[in-house]
Amino acid sequence: GAEDLAEKIQAGQIDFERCIATPDMMPLVGRLGRILGPRGLMPNPKLGTVTANVREAVEAAKGGQIQFRVEKAGIVHAGVGKASFPEEKLVANVKALVDAVNRAKPSGAKGTYLKRAHLSSTMGPGIRLEIASLVS
């Protein structure tokens, strides 16, 4: 059950990309925070990964839902694919991220919301993207 899974995670056996939990399981998941947190796997109600509707969360995750958090400085880091993806797929994923960021814009935000965008591989140099080409 859940206790066995928690023990596997504490032993460092993490074979999943997203962790979804119901609110009543958070006390158990909370104990795994030191392991899940640094990997960006900690369930969070703001991201929709702490929910009573697990089916919906799993379907969204499998449907390619992009998760991102904004740093205090207003910087967003998000994975949009792998270097092995075809170019069209990467372009579609970048545009989907830009759309999601623009939809998340607070109603009180004034001026240019998205100022700069860069794309890079994990350890590669960043390439500046033209914002106008990203906004559909």
Side-chain angles (χ1 to χ4, degrees):
E3 291 284 343
D4 297 336
L5 185 59
E7 284 176 27
K8 274 180 64 179
I9 292 168
Q10 282 180 321
Q13 295 177 348
I14 297 175
D15 55 356
F16 51 87
E17 293 176 26
R18 190 163 301 177
C19 184
I20 298 167
T22 54
D24 62 307
M25 290 305 292
M26 284 311 290
L28 174 67
V29 177
R31 294 195 303 243
L32 302 171
R34 284 197 307 263
I35 297 157
L36 297 175
R39 291 177 172 86
L41 294 171
M42 192 66 185
N44 180 334
K46 287 182 181 173
L47 296 174
T49 49
V50 175
T51 177
N53 193 341
V54 173
R55 175 186 217 143
E56 194 176 279
V58 170
E59 285 170 359
K62 285 186 174 179
Q65 175 192 47
I66 298 174
Q67 283 189 329
F68 62 89
R69 264 193 228 104
V70 181
E71 291 180 6
K72 281 191 176 82
I75 299 170
V76 176
H77 297 273
V80 290
K82 298 185 175 179
S84 60
F85 283 14
E87 185 180 334
E88 313 79 57
K89 180 94 168 121
L90 286 170
V91 169
N93 288 355
V94 170
K95 286 187 175 186
L97 174 64
V98 170
D99 284 348
V101 169
N102 281 329
R103 275 198 310 276
K105 174 182 177 178
S107 55
K110 292 180 176 68
T112 310
Y113 192 60
L114 190 59
K115 294 184 177 171
R116 288 187 299 273
H118 292 76
L119 183 68
S120 72
S121 61
T122 302
M123 295 300 288
I127 301 164
R128 190 165 184 164
L129 303 177
E130 198 174 292
I131 301 290
S133 68
L134 300 175
V135 180
S136 45

